[in-house]
C-alpha cells in the first residue's frame, strides 16, 4: 500500500485564522493528494459553534481533525479582551498539543508540523520531536518582516515607540509611523511588548514560513526577506491568496440579495468590520450619519458596540435585531430606506463582494477581508481597529494606493463629515476611479498567482513535493 505523507496542523480558536489556514490546507492536499493532514484544534468554552463546525465538515477526506478538550478560563475576568482570552487558551493548550504530536509521530512518523503564526511556541515543541517545523503566517509579509526584525529594531530605538517622531524603517517595507504599529509595540515598557518580542524570536526556529500573500502584492518585501535567508531568516513561501471559495445557497429571496439586485453596477458601498470587529457607540452614530450624508448606496453589517472594538468572533449575537437597531440614530433606517440596508451581525461577505453592484468596501483591514476585496477588484476605505490592521491600512493606502484612509480627530473619532467626504470620493470621485484601476490590476495579479504556472501555485507545489519526498523516505 502507498505510504501517505503525514503532516500535523495546529490551529488557533479565531474564526478568521481558521478560515485562512484551512483554505491553505485544502489547497495543499489538492496539489498533492499523497499528503495526509491531521488538524489539532485548541478550544475554549463548552461547545464548538456552528460556523466553526461548518468549516471542518467541508474538509476533504485526506484532512482529519480533532478538537482538544476546552480550556477552563473561569479564573479570567469576565470582560477580558477576546485577544487575551485566545492568548490564555493557546498557552494553556501547549501540554495537550505536545502530547498529541508525540502520539501522532510515534504511530505514523510525522514529516512536519505546520502551526498558525499566533501559536509559534509549537515550533519549539516540534524541534523536540526532531521533525520539520513550519509556520503559517495568515497576514502580510510586511508584518512578518516587522516580527522577524523586531528584536533588532528594539535595540535601535531609544524612546518609547509611541513617541517616535520619525517613521520606522522596516526592512523591505515602506516607512511606518509609530502610531500605526501593532498594539503590543505601542508601549515598550509593557509585559505585552516583552511577550511580543519573545514570540517573534521563535519564528527563527521555523524551517520555513508560509505567507498568505503573493509576489505581485508585496514583491519588494518578499524579495528582501528571501535575500536574507543566508543570514538566518527562515525560508519564505508566498503562497496566497487563500480566500474561502463558498457561497450561501439560500436562493435569491434573501433581503440583501434583493437589495443588491436592484442597484446599479458598482454603486453600493459594503460596510463590514470582519468576523468580530465593531465600533463604540458614538462612532456607530457618526458612521450612520456619515453614510446618510454621503448620499451613496450602502450595505452595512451592524454589530453591537464594544469598548474593545471587537466581539468574540466564535460566539453568536447577544441582542435581538430590533434591539441592535436601537444603537442607530433615530429615524436612520426610515430615512435611508431604498438607498441603504443594515444587516444584523453577519452577512456572506465573499458572495456580497462578488456582486456586480458593489463598488467599494469600508473595512477594518483584516487580512482575509483585504484579500477578498483584492480578488474581487473592490476599492477600499481603510478603517483599522486593532492588532496589525493599522499596518495593513498603511500598506493599502500608502504602499499599494488602493485605499483611502479617513482622518481621525483628537478624540479618536472619525466624524460624519469626514466619512461622507471619503465615501463620495471613493464611490464617485476621481481618486476613486484611479484606485479602482489599480485594484483591477491587483485582481488580475491575484488570479495569475493561483493559475497552474502562477507564482503561488508553483511555490506551494514545490514545497508539497519536498514534503512528499521526505514522507516517502520515512516510509522505506
Amino acid at each position: 500500500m502507498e505510504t501517505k505523507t503525514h503532516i500535523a496542523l495546529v490551529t488557533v480558536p479565531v474564526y478568521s485564522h481558521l478560515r485562512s489556514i484551512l483554505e491553505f490546507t485544502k489547497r495543499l492536499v489538492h496539489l498533492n493528494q499523497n499528503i495526509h493532514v491531521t488538524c489539532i484544534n485548541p478550544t475554549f468554552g463548552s461547545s464548538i459553534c456552528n460556523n466553526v463546525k461548518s468549516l471542518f465538515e467541508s474538509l476533504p477526506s485526506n484532512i482529519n481533525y480533532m478538537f482538544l478538550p476546552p480550556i477552563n478560563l473561569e479564573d479570567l475576568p469576565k470582560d477580558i479582551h477576546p485577544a487575551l482570552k485566545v492568548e490564555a487558551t493557546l498557552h494553556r493548550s501547549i501540554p495537550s498539543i505536545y502530547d498529541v504530536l508525540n502520539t501522532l509521530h510515534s504511530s505514523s512518523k510525522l514529516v512536519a508540523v505546520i502551526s498558525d503564526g499566533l501559536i509559534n511556541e509549537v515550533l519549539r515543541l516540534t524541534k523536540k520531536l526532531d521533525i520539520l517545523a513550519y509556520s503559517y503566517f495568515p497576514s502580510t509579509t510586511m508584518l512578518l518582516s516587522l516580527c522577524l526584525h523586531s528584536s533588532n529594531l528594539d535595540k535601535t530605538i531609544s524612546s518609547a515607540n509611541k513617541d517616535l517622531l520619525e517613521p520606522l524603517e522596516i526592512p523591505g517595507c515602506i516607512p511606518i509611523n509609530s502610531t500605526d504599529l501593532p498594539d503590543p509595540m505601542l508601549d515598550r515598557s509593557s509585559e505585552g511588548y516583552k511577550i511580543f518580542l519573545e514570540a517573534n524570536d521563535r519564528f527563527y526556529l521555523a524551517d520555513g514560513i508560509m505567507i498568505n500573500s503573493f509576489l505581485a502584492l508585496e514583491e519588494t518585501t518578499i524579495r528582501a526577506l528571501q535575500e536574507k535567508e543566508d543570514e538566518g531568516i527562515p525560508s519564505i513561501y508566498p503562497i496566497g491568496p487563500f480566500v474561502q471559495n463558498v457561497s450561501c445557497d439560500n436562493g435569491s429571496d434573501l433581503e440583501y440579495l434583493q437589495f443588491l439586485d436592484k442597484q446599479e453596477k458598482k454603486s453600493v458601498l459594503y460596510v463590514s468590520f470582519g468576523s468580530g470587529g465593531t465600533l463604540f457607540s458614538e462612532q456607530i452614530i457618526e458612521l450612520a450619519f456619515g453614510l446618510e450624508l454621503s448620499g451613496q448606496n450602502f450595505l452595512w453589517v451592524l454589530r453591537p458596540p464594544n469598548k474593545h472594538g471587537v466581539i468574540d468572533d466564535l460566539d453568536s449575537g447577544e441582542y435581538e435585531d430590533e434591539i441592535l437597531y436601537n444603537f442607530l440614530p433615530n429615524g436612520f433606517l426610515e430615512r435611508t430606506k431604498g438607498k441603504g440596508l443594515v444587516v444584523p451581525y453577519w452577512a456572506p461577505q465573499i458572495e456580497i463582494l462578488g456582486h456586480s453592484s458593489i463598488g467599494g468596501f469600508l473595512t477594518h483591514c483584516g487580512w482575509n477581508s483585504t484579500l477578498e476585496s483584492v480578488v474581487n477588484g473592490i476599492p477600499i476605505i481603510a478603517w483599522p481597529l486593532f492588532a496589525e490592521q493599522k499596518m495593513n491600512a498603511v500598506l493599502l493606502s500608502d504602499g499599494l494606493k488602493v485605499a483611502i484612509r479617513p482622518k481621525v480627530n483628537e478624540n479618536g473619532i472619525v466624524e460624519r463629515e469626514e466619512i461622507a467626504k471619503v465615501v463620495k470620493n471613493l464611490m464617485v470621485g476621481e481618486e476613486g476611479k484611479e484606485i479602482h484601476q489599480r485594484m483591477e490590476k491587483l485582481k488580475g495579479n491575484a488570479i495569475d498567482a493561483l493559475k497552474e504556472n502562477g507564482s503561488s501555485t508553483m511555490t506551494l507545489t514545490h514545497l508539497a513535493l519536498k514534503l512528499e519526498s521526505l514522507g516517502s523516505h520515512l516510509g522505506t
Side-chain angles (χ1 to χ4, degrees):
M1 187 174 74
E2 186 179 23
T3 302
K4 286 281 188 179
T5 297
H6 192 189
I7 294 169
L9 187 83
V10 183
T11 72
V12 299
V14 178
Y15 184 72
S16 57
H17 283 243
L18 282 170
R19 278 179 49 200
S20 182
I21 199 168
L22 291 179
E23 287 301 315
F24 148 71
T25 309
K26 288 191 287 187
R27 179 77 168 159
L28 175 67
V29 300
H30 173 74
L31 291 173
N32 193 316
Q33 298 189 16
N34 196 40
I35 292 176
H36 176 83
V37 178
T38 298
C39 295
I40 304 166
N41 306 285
T43 64
F44 56 79
S46 58
S47 62
I48 309 300
C49 62
N50 290 333
N51 56 355
V52 170
K53 286 179 181 177
S54 66
L55 289 178
F56 286 94
E57 289 170 353
S58 65
L59 294 175
S61 60
N62 49 353
I63 303 177
N64 292 336
Y65 60 90
M66 64 176 70
F67 294 103
L68 298 178
I71 297 297
N72 188 342
L73 301 176
E74 291 181 359
D75 58 313
L76 300 180
K78 296 298 182 184
D79 63 344
I80 189 173
H81 194 291
L84 296 178
K85 183 163 70 170
V86 170
E87 185 180 297
T89 299
L90 299 181
H91 179 71
R92 298 177 187 187
S93 296
I94 290 299
S96 297
I97 293 170
Y98 182 72
D99 288 343
V100 173
L101 290 176
N102 198 22
T103 299
L104 288 174
H105 189 45
S106 298
S107 62
S108 63
K109 296 298 181 185
L110 289 173
V111 172
V113 177
I114 303 170
S115 56
D116 187 288
L118 271 185
I119 190 168
N120 66 13
E121 196 170 347
V122 171
L123 298 172
R124 180 177 56 79
L125 302 182
T126 306
K127 289 301 180 181
K128 286 185 179 181
L129 299 174
D130 196 27
I131 54 179
L132 291 176
Y134 291 93
S135 181
Y136 176 76
F137 201 79
S139 189
T140 63
T141 318
M142 182 180 183
L143 176 62
L144 178 61
S145 185
L146 172 66
C147 292
L148 291 171
H149 294 97
S150 58
S151 290
N152 286 336
L153 291 169
D154 177 66
K155 296 171 185 175
T156 64
I157 298 171
S158 58
S159 62
N161 287 349
K162 63 181 179 180
D163 297 326
L164 288 176
L165 298 179
E166 297 296 326
L168 189 66
E169 299 283 347
I170 304 168
C173 305
I174 59 173
I176 182 170
N177 293 324
S178 61
T179 52
D180 287 323
L181 292 170
D183 297 341
M185 293 196 71
L186 297 181
D187 184 359
R188 295 178 68 236
S189 64
S190 68
E191 183 67 19
Y193 180 66
K194 179 183 176 182
I195 293 171
F196 181 72
L197 292 182
E198 291 173 349
N200 290 338
D201 286 343
R202 286 196 293 270
F203 280 118
Y204 283 88
L205 296 172
D207 293 290
I209 301 176
M210 306 159 196
I211 314 169
N212 190 15
S213 189
F214 56 98
L215 195 58
L217 189 68
E218 298 186 273
E219 182 170 7
T220 301
T221 312
I222 291 169
R223 298 295 191 200
L225 291 181
Q226 290 176 334
E227 289 169 2
K228 290 190 174 187
E229 288 181 11
D230 291 340
E231 302 174 19
I233 295 283
S235 298
I236 304 299
Y237 300 98
I239 53 176
F242 295 111
V243 173
Q244 200 173 13
N245 187 25
V246 297
S247 62
C248 292
D249 187 20
N250 293 321
S252 60
D253 58 338
L254 292 172
E255 185 180 11
Y256 75 89
L257 275 180
Q258 292 177 351
F259 172 76
L260 292 176
D261 288 344
K262 293 176 182 177
Q263 311 307 320
E264 295 182 4
K265 187 177 180 180
K266 299 189 183 304
S267 68
V268 178
L269 176 72
Y270 176 56
V271 181
S272 177
F273 296 95
S275 55
T278 189
L279 306 173
F280 52 93
S281 296
E282 186 177 355
Q283 187 63 84
I284 288 176
I285 296 294
E286 289 298 308
L287 177 55
F289 279 125
L291 292 172
E292 185 178 351
L293 283 171
S294 75
Q296 304 302 305
N297 300 332
F298 64 87
L299 173 62
W300 180 7
V301 179
L302 177 67
R303 295 195 182 89
N306 184 281
K307 66 179 181 180
H308 297 307
V310 59
I311 58 176
D312 192 335
D313 65 2
L314 299 185
D315 284 342
S316 59
E318 59 180 303
Y319 296 100
E320 297 292 335
D321 294 356
E322 291 76 13
I323 299 176
L324 185 60
Y325 294 145
N326 289 339
F327 294 110
L328 296 169
N330 290 333
F332 172 76
L333 294 175
E334 291 76 16
R335 293 193 302 272
T336 57
K337 189 173 183 179
K339 290 192 69 69
L341 179 67
V342 177
V343 179
Y345 283 105
W346 182 88
Q349 180 162 293
I350 298 166
E351 188 173 17
I352 288 171
L353 288 174
H355 197 283
S356 62
S357 69
I358 298 297
F361 184 14
L362 192 159
T363 171
H364 67 311
C365 301
W367 196 234
N368 282 351
S369 291
T370 297
L371 291 178
E372 288 163 8
S373 201
V374 168
V375 300
N376 285 288
I378 306 298
I380 286 172
I381 294 175
W383 191 311
L385 298 178
F386 51 84
E388 87 288 4
Q389 293 163 12
K390 288 177 287 184
M391 282 189 71
N392 297 349
V394 172
L395 173 64
L396 293 168
S397 59
D398 299 350
L400 298 168
K401 300 187 185 302
V402 293
I404 304 175
R405 188 173 177 182
K407 295 186 174 90
V408 180
N409 70 15
E410 63 276 6
N411 297 316
I413 295 173
V414 184
E415 297 175 341
R416 63 191 70 178
E417 294 82 7
E418 173 70 6
I419 295 167
K421 182 182 75 172
V422 167
V423 169
K424 285 191 286 188
N425 195 0
L426 186 80
M427 299 300 291
V428 295
E430 289 302 314
E431 185 178 6
K433 293 178 183 177
E434 295 172 1
I435 287 175
H436 182 80
Q437 292 173 356
R438 287 190 285 269
M439 190 60 101
E440 278 292 326
K441 183 177 180 181
L442 273 185
K443 174 184 177 180
N445 292 336
I447 293 171
D448 289 343
L450 294 178
K451 289 180 178 177
E452 184 176 354
N453 293 318
S455 60
S456 293
T457 299
M458 294 292 288
T459 298
L460 186 55
T461 299
H462 290 154
L463 178 59
L465 287 172
K466 174 183 176 181
L467 295 172
E468 182 190 24
S469 175
L470 290 169
S472 299
H473 178 71
L474 286 176
T476 59

